[in-house]
Amino acid sequence: MMKLAMSFALLASLVTALPPLCLAASANTNGGFLYPQFYDHTCPKAQQIVWSGVAKAHAKDPRMAASLLRLHFHDCFVKGCDASVLLDSSGTFLSEKRSHANLNSARGFEVIDEIKFALEKECPLTVSCADILALAARDSTVLTGGPYWAVPLGRRDSLGASLSGSNNNIPAPNNTLPTIITKFKLQGLDLVDLVALLGSHTIGDARCTSFRQRLYNQTGNGLPDGTLNAAYAAELRARCPRSGGDQNLFFLDPVSPFKFDNQYYKNIVAGKGLLNSDQILFTRSAATMALVEQYANNNELFFDHFAKSIVKMGNIAPLTGSRGEIREHCRKVNHH
Ligand code: HEM
Ligand SMILES: *[C@@H]1O[C@H](CO)[C@@H](O)[C@H](O)[C@H]1NC(C)=O
Ligand SMILES: *[C@@H]1O[C@H](CO)[C@@H](O)[C@H](O)[C@H]1NC(C)=O
């Protein structure tokens, strides 16, 4: 009996250690594949080092979990999950950090630097910055009470960035729902992915400038005036005036701003979605409305869909094999 159990354990570990070849072929469009055990032999402590770095940063600044989760999204939507978002401007390209979505907004770069430094000490030129972002997104989710998932790994880092890609591909909070749906579709993500991934807005902050438009004179942008809960709107106007206070911060989920849960969907059902892009999930399409209601009523379903969809997002056009490189510093490409 013992022997049987032992050999089963051995078999199970062998099976899980093998790259999922057959599934992988369809996992992304570039023929490469990712799998969670990618660093098991080359850098066995990789996941532990990322976890410690994220945990330390989160303990110092509880918002950091949200910021790191968002970085993975802003990376993947521009040229795939290749850490292009982390590059500073150079002689050959402009940094994505200057895009509409990222300027005065994206944060967490120092945390990634610190994690990369620790990884370089442990196993030089082995763990990609793109994989650090994917792991940090998972760890941030877990640290704030959200679901765990095994992160497929083996992404390599880009040799460039795309400022225009960052401006064009990442949805804006005043985009219409059809525009947002199209931007997700272009990345291979469907309606379920869209609604589930937007549940990320259960943590973190937005600046006044990201939603002011809907407090004053919103016209024809997908949200009929009055859909925003009146008391909530008054509260927001107090610290987000008609002009000035652009950088004032507001919780995306004021009920439980540091907890990864389904409160975001409950807020939307109550007419208290902070961004126009949040609220229109409920007001502009029966299909997304039904998903919002399901997630508001079923946290487990939300967690299950979120984990599946973020793995899917993490699979957007990764560089694998000999494409790209493993950067030594996440902010710049290696010397060639
Ligand atoms: C329709 C799609 C989306 C739109 C329009 C959108 C828009 C925004 C905006 C405007 C902010 C506030 C930025 C600021 O004012 O500084 C924000 C924050 C955030 N977003 Fe999204 N987002 C979208 C999808 C996503 C997805 C797919 C994720 C993650 C998978 C995500 C994660 C976050 C997080 C965690 C924050 C808070 C960041 C922090 O506190 O540093 N968002 N988003
Ligand atoms: C969306 O917001 C941007 C930035 O504030 C603004 O330039 C643009 O005109 C807005 N678009 C619409 C359709 O309101
Ligand atoms: C909306 O804009 C019009 C003119 O642009 C202005 O007269 C009106 O007071 C504004 N309404 C609100 C609620 O801000």
Side-chain angles (χ1 to χ4, degrees), residues 171-177 179-180 210 213 218 221-222 275-277 280:
N174 64 355
N175 281 162
T176 63
L177 188 58
T179 298
I180 291 171
S210 295
Q213 198 184 359
Q218 166 136 329
N221 196 28
L275 306 177
N276 193 59
S277 49
I280 55 180

Side-chain angles (χ1 to χ4, degrees), residues 12 66 69 75 92 120-121 154 166 182 213 232 237 251 260 313:
L69 174 56
D75 179 31
T92 48
E120 285 304 297
K121 214 159 77 178
S166 188
T182 300
Q213 198 184 359
Y232 184 47
R237 282 189 201 104
F251 294 132
F260 194 104
M313 184 180 86

Side-chain angles (χ1 to χ4, degrees), residues 2 12 23 39 47 66 74 81 98 108 133 147 167 172 179 206 222 235 248 257 267 305:
M2 188 59 184
L23 290 174
Y39 296 113
Q47 300 211 28
H74 285 200
C81 312
R98 301 163 59 152
L133 286 175
N167 278 327
T179 298
E235 225 176 278
N248 290 354
N267 295 343
H305 285 189

Side-chain angles (χ1 to χ4, degrees), residues 63 66-67 70 73 105 171-172 180 198 200-201 204-207 210 277:
R63 183 189 171 194
S67 305
R70 187 171 184 232
F73 163 50
S105 182
I180 291 171
L198 267 169
S200 298
H201 290 176
D205 298 353
R207 293 162 304 148
S210 295
S277 49

Side-chain angles (χ1 to χ4, degrees), residues 20-207:
L21 272 170
C22 42
L23 290 174
S26 61
N28 61 65
T29 50
N30 291 290
F33 53 85
L34 309 174
Y35 54 98
Q37 302 79 12
F38 189 83
Y39 296 113
D40 279 7
H41 299 292
T42 53
C43 194
K45 284 195 188 147
Q47 300 211 28
Q48 197 183 308
I49 289 170
V50 176
W51 171 269
S52 323
V54 175
K56 192 176 130 200
H58 173 249
K60 219 163 66 180
D61 168 12
R63 183 189 171 194
M64 191 50 73
S67 305
L68 294 172
L69 174 56
R70 187 171 184 232
L71 277 187
H72 182 42
F73 163 50
H74 285 200
D75 179 31
C76 292
F77 268 52
V78 184
K79 302 189 319 104
C81 312
D82 60 359
S84 57
V85 70
L86 301 179
L87 290 171
D88 289 335
S89 292
S90 78
T92 48
F93 53 80
L94 293 173
S95 175
E96 292 170 19
K97 296 173 188 179
R98 301 163 59 152
S99 73
H100 302 309
N102 291 332
L103 187 68
N104 296 324
S105 182
R107 59 199 290 279
F109 300 107
E110 308 75 22
V111 175
I112 301 297
D113 288 342
E114 200 171 312
I115 292 169
K116 180 60 169 169
F117 186 79
L119 283 167
E120 285 304 297
K121 214 159 77 178
E122 175 73 19
C123 26
L125 294 176
T126 304
V127 181
S128 69
C129 299
D131 279 344
I132 296 174
L133 286 175
L135 287 168
R138 190 270 314 274
D139 294 345
S140 295
T141 303
V142 171
L143 279 162
T144 47
Y148 174 92
W149 62 92
V151 181
L153 298 167
R155 300 168 189 81
R156 291 165 64 83
D157 300 324
S158 73
L159 303 174
S162 174
L163 178 57
S164 62
S166 188
N167 278 327
N168 296 329
N169 303 357
I170 298 172
N174 64 355
N175 281 162
T176 63
L177 188 58
T179 298
I180 291 171
I181 289 172
T182 300
K183 287 181 176 178
F184 270 68
K185 207 173 216 169
L186 285 170
Q187 306 287 348
L189 300 173
D190 60 25
L191 275 191
V192 170
D193 300 320
L194 169 65
V195 180
L197 287 171
L198 267 169
S200 298
H201 290 176
T202 177
I203 54 174
D205 298 353
R207 293 162 304 148

